Amino acid sequence: MRPIRITGGRVLTEGSLTEGDVLLRDGRIALGTAADAASFDARGLLVLPGIVDLHGDAFERQLQPRPGIGFPIDLALEDTERQLLACGI
């Protein structure tokens, strides 16, 4: 698989935010560059390698997708788990 380079963002490394590039290669996160990498511009963004933000208000849509329409919580949780797994979480 082709490596991916995230450029121009503020990267969280060892407890501080610094300008730099992040390289994703062979399922690993590293700092640096690679000539054959696909590049994504992250200027103005935070790059937080390894951090997954599990907070979200999207679960409310699983319970009540439209006003007046509700789903049982066990069904809503099952659907949420499937979506998280599909996203690699």
Side-chain angles (χ1 to χ4, degrees):
M1 178 182 231
R2 188 173 172 196
I4 298 171
R5 187 178 67 173
I6 303 170
T7 63
R10 292 177 53 209
V11 182
L12 179 64
T13 58
E14 299 182 25
S16 65
L17 287 169
T18 58
E19 301 268 331
D21 295 349
V22 173
L23 185 65
L24 307 173
R25 179 187 293 236
D26 300 323
R28 301 211 178 247
I29 300 169
L31 298 176
T33 62
D36 61 336
S39 186
F40 292 94
D41 184 1
R43 280 181 292 193
L45 302 174
L46 297 176
V47 180
L48 309 172
I51 293 181
V52 176
D53 182 4
L54 291 177
H55 173 267
D57 296 319
F59 182 65
E60 294 168 358
R61 287 190 296 263
Q62 307 301 73
L63 290 170
Q64 189 176 34
R66 291 182 302 281
I69 305 294
F71 283 104
I73 193 161
D74 57 335
L75 181 62
L77 284 172
E78 184 177 325
D79 190 49
T80 299
E81 288 174 354
R82 288 180 180 175
Q83 289 182 23
L84 290 171
L85 285 171
C87 294
I89 299 172

